[in-house]
Amino acid sequence: MARTFKMALVGCGAISHMHLPAIREGAPEIAITAAIDADRARAEAMARETGARAFTSLEEGLAHGDFDAVDLMLPHHLHEEVAVQAFAAGKHVLLEKPLATTLDACERILAAWRRAGTVFMVAENTQYWPEVLVAKRVLDDGAIGDVVTARGSFAIPPIEMFYGGDRPWRCDNSAAGGGIVIDAAPHWIRPLRMLLGEVEEVIGALGRPYPAMQGESLVRSLLRFRSGVVAVLDGIMKDGPFVPEAMFRITGARGEVTVERSGRVMLWNAEHPEGQQVGEVGGYMRSYPGEFADFAAAVLDGRAPAAGAEAALGELRVALALYRSVETRRWEKVWE
């Protein structure tokens, strides 16, 4: 089997400049042969950087380009149309999260994938977040005993590359499908699912401290897992500084594990009452090379990805249940 394959970058905006160095580091087997963006200038700039051909639509790229796979990095409301088009052309697909903004759209995408029989991954990079993998190993080793509770917390400024400019699509509910619950929170929901299992039900409240965003920019919520463990999920976006608290705190019967913003994982138990660093210092950006290495292995070797495409339904279902709970002011089931 060939040890390289050709890929088109579809959407040459902010996230593409995070994906490209990760491809070069984590998956040198991938050759970028097409750069596709509705903004021709952006497509041409990416083409110059990669040696690819520039196109202004996936349709044009499919007609005149040469590639085996697509990396779809588009506003959320475009995911279904473009993913289905790529599958119909027999391409392997890496699709930026969320899978889609509605469950019906997700099912149509998944049905198109099953018909195509190609490789499909949803690009939830936190599946490969080094600190989360270390924390999971600590939990699996029993270092803190049975998990009692946990907290995932994120506090982020409105990053210019994603939320700046005259018309940032992430600030528009018709394009994004919501605010930070559907866009940023999945990067914390996936690790919590990896560490604690599947979410059963949720309840929460939302706010808008960042008024430029049409959707929510504050979430305070509780997640009850099928195991019975209840975890907190907190998130906020606003201008100004934040206290550098832990991004994850997992409390067990015999100790705690924290994932710090510095990239350290700390273990606190009877053997280490003052806390001890576990593993090497990681960092959120270190999750991207692993994502592309996994995609390349799936395409080239037929290896199952660390998480199948259907796994991304979990983050969307949690988000949608949270939105329902705000309306009903009750616990809402995730999988019903």
Side-chain angles (χ1 to χ4, degrees):
M1 183 176 292
R3 295 309 306 167
T4 63
F5 65 96
K6 301 170 185 176
M7 187 161 72
L9 301 181
V10 184
C12 299
I15 193 65
S16 69
H17 297 286
M18 300 169 77
H19 280 205
L20 183 57
I23 292 168
R24 288 170 170 166
E25 178 183 347
E29 306 94 332
I30 297 176
I32 305 302
T33 58
I36 302 174
D37 197 288
D39 183 330
R40 179 172 290 279
R42 291 203 306 197
E44 290 178 344
M46 181 60 75
R48 286 192 297 272
E49 185 172 355
T50 60
R53 290 184 64 188
F55 303 99
T56 56
S57 70
L58 179 57
E59 183 177 14
E60 182 187 9
L62 290 170
H64 303 290
D66 178 19
F67 47 90
D68 311 296
V70 293
D71 181 6
L72 302 181
M73 300 168 284
L74 299 165
H76 303 161
H77 69 301
L78 301 177
H79 285 192
E80 179 186 357
E81 176 186 353
V82 181
V84 169
Q85 187 179 11
F87 285 127
K91 305 303 181 184
H92 306 294
V93 174
L94 181 67
L95 173 65
E96 259 296 336
K97 61 84 194 157
L99 181 53
T101 58
T102 69
L103 293 177
D104 286 345
C106 290
E107 289 305 323
R108 289 190 291 269
I109 293 172
L110 292 169
W113 161 52
R114 293 178 186 119
R115 288 193 297 271
T118 57
V119 171
F120 182 30
M121 273 179 52
V122 174
E124 180 45 76
N125 56 289
T126 56
Q127 181 73 39
Y128 311 91
W129 197 348
E131 296 96 297
V132 172
L133 298 178
V134 170
K136 180 170 174 53
R137 186 168 68 247
V138 172
L139 264 61
D140 291 346
D141 289 344
I144 64 170
D146 292 338
V147 174
V148 175
T149 190
R151 182 179 187 231
S153 173
F154 63 96
I156 52 178
I159 304 167
E160 177 67 22
M161 67 186 297
F162 290 119
Y163 301 96
D166 295 332
R167 298 179 62 188
W169 64 262
R170 282 183 168 83
C171 293
D172 181 351
N173 276 4
S174 65
I180 62 173
V181 168
I182 200 169
D183 190 32
H187 293 321
W188 273 256
I189 297 170
R190 175 64 66 90
L192 288 172
R193 293 174 65 211
M194 291 168 65
L195 298 171
L196 305 178
E198 201 53 84
V199 184
E200 179 71 23
E201 56 184 350
V202 300
I203 190 168
L206 307 177
R208 294 186 62 243
Y210 183 55
M213 177 178 280
Q214 184 180 9
E216 72 288 344
S217 46
L218 169 71
V219 55
R220 308 299 299 270
S221 59
L222 297 175
L223 282 60
R224 179 176 284 117
F225 290 77
R226 288 176 178 170
S227 65
V229 169
V230 174
V232 175
L233 174 66
D234 282 341
I236 185 171
M237 174 186 290
K238 71 173 187 64
D239 292 311
F242 297 102
V243 174
E245 62 181 354
M247 292 186 287
F248 296 96
R249 178 178 180 178
I250 306 98
T251 302
R254 298 192 290 106
E256 290 193 310
V257 174
T258 57
V259 175
E260 312 292 338
R261 295 189 183 277
S262 64
R264 297 190 309 168
V265 177
M266 298 294 294
L267 169 63
W268 315 75
N269 60 12
E271 291 77 20
H272 308 290
E274 303 300 320
Q276 175 173 303
Q277 181 179 327
V278 183
E280 301 296 324
V281 173
Y284 176 82
M285 294 302 296
R286 300 301 309 153
S287 61
Y288 285 99
E291 174 181 274
F292 283 97
D294 202 19
F295 183 65
V299 171
L300 293 172
D301 303 325
R303 192 176 73 188
E310 299 97 329
L313 288 169
E315 286 79 51
L316 179 63
R317 282 182 168 275
V318 170
L320 295 178
L322 262 171
Y323 289 145
R324 292 197 305 273
S325 80
V326 172
E327 299 298 323
T328 64
R329 298 193 177 189
R330 298 193 303 263
W331 286 91
E332 290 288 337
K333 296 292 186 182
V334 171
W335 294 95
E336 292 183 0

